[in-house]
mmCIF file of all heavy atoms in Angstrom:
data_model
loop_
_atom_site.group_PDB
_atom_site.id
_atom_site.type_symbol
_atom_site.label_atom_id
_atom_site.label_comp_id
_atom_site.label_asym_id
_atom_site.label_seq_id
_atom_site.Cartn_x
_atom_site.Cartn_y
_atom_site.Cartn_z
ATOM 1 N N PRO B 41 0.717 49.121 21.831
ATOM 2 C CA PRO B 41 -0.106 48.023 22.349
ATOM 3 C C PRO B 41 -0.575 47.070 21.235
ATOM 4 O O PRO B 41 -0.809 47.502 20.109
ATOM 5 C CB PRO B 41 -1.314 48.753 22.950
ATOM 6 C CG PRO B 41 -1.398 50.045 22.200
ATOM 7 C CD PRO B 41 0.008 50.403 21.804
ATOM 8 N N ARG B 42 -0.702 45.796 21.594
ATOM 9 C CA ARG B 42 -1.155 44.788 20.626
ATOM 10 C C ARG B 42 -2.075 43.781 21.310
ATOM 11 O O ARG B 42 -1.892 43.453 22.486
ATOM 12 C CB ARG B 42 0.028 43.996 20.069
ATOM 13 C CG ARG B 42 0.967 44.773 19.202
ATOM 14 C CD ARG B 42 0.413 44.898 17.798
ATOM 15 N NE ARG B 42 1.434 45.364 16.888
ATOM 16 C CZ ARG B 42 1.708 46.648 16.672
ATOM 17 N NH1 ARG B 42 1.020 47.568 17.287
ATOM 18 N NH2 ARG B 42 2.663 46.991 15.827
ATOM 19 N N GLY B 43 -3.038 43.262 20.535
ATOM 20 C CA GLY B 43 -3.870 42.167 21.021
ATOM 21 C C GLY B 43 -4.021 41.158 19.908
ATOM 22 O O GLY B 43 -3.044 40.755 19.305
ATOM 23 N N VAL B 44 -5.266 40.777 19.606
ATOM 24 C CA VAL B 44 -5.503 39.871 18.480
ATOM 25 C C VAL B 44 -5.525 40.679 17.193
ATOM 26 O O VAL B 44 -6.125 41.750 17.137
ATOM 27 C CB VAL B 44 -6.853 39.140 18.645
ATOM 28 C CG1 VAL B 44 -7.284 38.484 17.334
ATOM 29 C CG2 VAL B 44 -6.756 38.094 19.739
ATOM 30 N N PHE B 45 -4.877 40.184 16.160
ATOM 31 C CA PHE B 45 -5.030 40.788 14.841
ATOM 32 C C PHE B 45 -5.563 39.758 13.841
ATOM 33 O O PHE B 45 -6.652 39.908 13.325
ATOM 34 C CB PHE B 45 -3.699 41.393 14.368
ATOM 35 C CG PHE B 45 -3.785 41.998 13.003
ATOM 36 C CD1 PHE B 45 -4.654 43.050 12.744
ATOM 37 C CD2 PHE B 45 -3.012 41.509 11.955
ATOM 38 C CE1 PHE B 45 -4.756 43.606 11.475
ATOM 39 C CE2 PHE B 45 -3.101 42.067 10.679
ATOM 40 C CZ PHE B 45 -3.970 43.110 10.440
ATOM 41 N N CYS B 46 -4.799 38.661 13.614
ATOM 42 C CA CYS B 46 -5.209 37.705 12.568
ATOM 43 C C CYS B 46 -6.127 36.608 13.096
ATOM 44 O O CYS B 46 -6.912 36.042 12.338
ATOM 45 C CB CYS B 46 -3.985 37.084 11.907
ATOM 46 S SG CYS B 46 -3.196 35.818 12.924
ATOM 47 N N GLY B 47 -5.991 36.277 14.372
ATOM 48 C CA GLY B 47 -6.849 35.247 14.961
ATOM 49 C C GLY B 47 -6.589 33.831 14.477
ATOM 50 O O GLY B 47 -7.265 32.898 14.903
ATOM 51 N N ILE B 48 -5.636 33.647 13.563
ATOM 52 C CA ILE B 48 -5.400 32.286 13.050
ATOM 53 C C ILE B 48 -3.943 31.837 13.205
ATOM 54 O O ILE B 48 -3.490 30.920 12.533
ATOM 55 C CB ILE B 48 -5.838 32.132 11.582
ATOM 56 C CG1 ILE B 48 -5.011 33.040 10.668
ATOM 57 C CG2 ILE B 48 -7.326 32.418 11.405
ATOM 58 C CD1 ILE B 48 -5.031 32.601 9.209
ATOM 59 N N GLY B 49 -3.204 32.537 14.047
ATOM 60 C CA GLY B 49 -1.852 32.065 14.336
ATOM 61 C C GLY B 49 -0.773 32.562 13.395
ATOM 62 O O GLY B 49 0.364 32.091 13.460
ATOM 63 N N ALA B 50 -1.079 33.527 12.533
ATOM 64 C CA ALA B 50 -0.091 33.955 11.543
ATOM 65 C C ALA B 50 0.701 35.191 11.938
ATOM 66 O O ALA B 50 1.846 35.350 11.538
ATOM 67 C CB ALA B 50 -0.785 34.211 10.196
ATOM 68 N N CYS B 51 0.108 36.107 12.724
ATOM 69 C CA CYS B 51 0.729 37.423 12.923
ATOM 70 C C CYS B 51 1.569 37.531 14.187
ATOM 71 O O CYS B 51 2.397 38.418 14.298
ATOM 72 C CB CYS B 51 -0.342 38.507 12.925
ATOM 73 S SG CYS B 51 -1.327 38.560 14.442
ATOM 74 N N PHE B 52 1.376 36.674 15.151
ATOM 75 C CA PHE B 52 2.114 36.683 16.418
ATOM 76 C C PHE B 52 1.909 37.959 17.229
ATOM 77 O O PHE B 52 2.709 38.298 18.087
ATOM 78 C CB PHE B 52 3.626 36.429 16.191
ATOM 79 C CG PHE B 52 3.902 35.035 15.688
ATOM 80 C CD1 PHE B 52 3.627 34.686 14.366
ATOM 81 C CD2 PHE B 52 4.409 34.060 16.532
ATOM 82 C CE1 PHE B 52 3.862 33.392 13.900
ATOM 83 C CE2 PHE B 52 4.635 32.768 16.072
ATOM 84 C CZ PHE B 52 4.362 32.450 14.756
ATOM 85 N N ASP B 53 0.874 38.714 16.954
ATOM 86 C CA ASP B 53 0.581 39.916 17.733
ATOM 87 C C ASP B 53 0.069 39.575 19.128
ATOM 88 O O ASP B 53 0.138 40.385 20.038
ATOM 89 C CB ASP B 53 -0.509 40.744 17.026
ATOM 90 C CG ASP B 53 0.081 41.812 16.117
ATOM 91 O OD1 ASP B 53 1.323 41.908 16.060
ATOM 92 O OD2 ASP B 53 -0.687 42.532 15.470
ATOM 93 N N CYS B 54 -0.498 38.390 19.311
ATOM 94 C CA CYS B 54 -1.272 38.084 20.525
ATOM 95 C C CYS B 54 -0.470 37.347 21.588
ATOM 96 O O CYS B 54 -1.042 36.767 22.506
ATOM 97 C CB CYS B 54 -2.487 37.243 20.139
ATOM 98 S SG CYS B 54 -2.038 35.613 19.498
ATOM 99 N N LEU B 55 0.876 37.367 21.490
ATOM 100 C CA LEU B 55 1.700 36.550 22.388
ATOM 101 C C LEU B 55 1.489 36.863 23.868
ATOM 102 O O LEU B 55 1.356 38.024 24.246
ATOM 103 C CB LEU B 55 3.183 36.745 22.059
ATOM 104 C CG LEU B 55 3.639 36.280 20.687
ATOM 105 C CD1 LEU B 55 5.140 36.510 20.536
ATOM 106 C CD2 LEU B 55 3.303 34.814 20.465
ATOM 107 N N VAL B 56 1.473 35.810 24.679
ATOM 108 C CA VAL B 56 1.413 35.940 26.136
ATOM 109 C C VAL B 56 2.366 34.917 26.759
ATOM 110 O O VAL B 56 2.868 34.021 26.075
ATOM 111 C CB VAL B 56 -0.011 35.665 26.698
ATOM 112 C CG1 VAL B 56 -0.959 36.799 26.392
ATOM 113 C CG2 VAL B 56 -0.560 34.336 26.190
#
Side-chain angles (χ1 to χ4, degrees):
Chain B
R42 292 279 193 273
V44 165
F45 179 61
C46 76
I48 63 160
C51 75
F52 293 75
D53 266 359
C54 66
L55 296 182
V56 287

